[in-house]
Amino acid sequence: MESLGRYWWLLALRGVVGILFGFLFFLWPLPSLATLVLLFGVWAFFDGCAAFASALSGRGGVYSVVEGIFGVGIAVLTFWRPMITALTLYGVIAAWAIVLGIFKIVSAVKLRHVITNEVWLGLSGAVFVIFGVLMVALPAAGVLALVWFIGAFAIVEGAMLLGHSLRLRRVASVVAPMRMP
C-alpha cells in the first residue's frame, strides 16, 4: 500500500504530459503526417518508460511491465519505420489504445482490493478502449479530425491519470501518519 502512494507522482507526470501533448495537437492542427507520427512515438515511448518505472518501483506489477513493453515497442517501431507507422497510423494507435485500455481496466479491478472506490484508473482504461474502438470504426476520418481526436483523447486520458494520481496521493497521506515506527 505504501509503494502505491509513494509513486503517485509518476502517474501525475504521465497525466500532465498527456494533457500537454493533447494541447499541442490542438495548437498545431495541420502538422505534417511525419510530425504527427513522431509526436505519437514520443508519447508512446514516454508512457511506456513511465509504466516500466512503475513496475520497477513495485507499484505496477506484471500489467505495468506489459504496458511498458507495448508502449516502448510501438515507439521503437514508430521511430525505426516511420513510413510504416504513417501508413498504418490508425491501426497502430487503435491497437495501442485497446490493449493498454484493457490492461488499465484489469489493473483497476485488482486495485479495488487494495483501495476502495478506485475508479480513475478504470475510467482511464475505458477511455483508451473507447478511443481504440472509435479509431477502428472511423477509418476514413481526415488528418485534421485525427489530430483533434488524438488531442482530445490525450487531454482526457491525462486528466484521468492525474485524477488517479491525486487519489493515490490522498490515500498515501492518510496511511503514512497511521504507520508506527
Side-chain angles (χ1 to χ4, degrees):
M1 176 62 139
E2 183 180 333
S3 67
L4 283 172
R6 185 181 315 146
Y7 297 102
W8 66 270
W9 60 271
L10 282 172
L11 283 176
L13 186 59
R14 287 172 71 182
V16 169
V17 169
I19 291 169
L20 290 175
F21 270 103
F23 281 121
L24 284 176
F25 284 114
F26 278 105
L27 290 173
W28 297 332
L30 295 173
S32 68
L33 188 55
T35 302
L36 178 63
V37 168
L38 293 177
L39 282 175
F40 170 74
V42 169
W43 183 25
F45 182 76
F46 177 80
D47 195 63
C49 288
F52 275 133
S54 292
L56 291 174
S57 72
R59 184 201 64 80
V62 69
Y63 297 109
S64 289
V65 171
V66 173
E67 192 177 336
I69 290 169
F70 199 71
V72 170
I74 290 295
V76 167
L77 175 66
T78 299
F79 295 127
W80 182 46
R81 299 281 191 200
M83 287 308 294
I84 290 173
T85 305
L87 295 173
T88 60
L89 185 61
Y90 261 72
V92 169
I93 293 173
W96 176 69
I98 291 169
V99 169
L100 290 187
I102 290 168
F103 280 113
K104 286 174 184 283
I105 291 169
V106 170
S107 294
V109 170
K110 288 184 151 278
L111 274 178
R112 293 195 77 185
H113 299 291
V114 178
I115 301 172
T116 57
N117 294 323
E118 184 51 53
V119 297
W120 290 107
L121 186 59
L123 288 173
S124 168
V127 167
F128 258 83
V129 171
I130 290 168
F131 175 74
V133 168
L134 285 174
M135 291 295 294
V136 171
L138 304 170
V143 173
L144 181 60
L146 174 64
V147 171
W148 287 346
F149 198 51
I150 292 170
F153 164 72
I155 291 169
V156 169
E157 169 61 13
M160 294 295 166
L161 285 174
L162 201 53
H164 177 59
S165 71
L166 294 176
R167 170 83 172 122
L168 286 176
R169 182 176 179 224
R170 273 192 298 263
V171 169
S173 68
V174 169
V175 171
M178 294 171 37
R179 193 169 40 124
M180 294 289 192

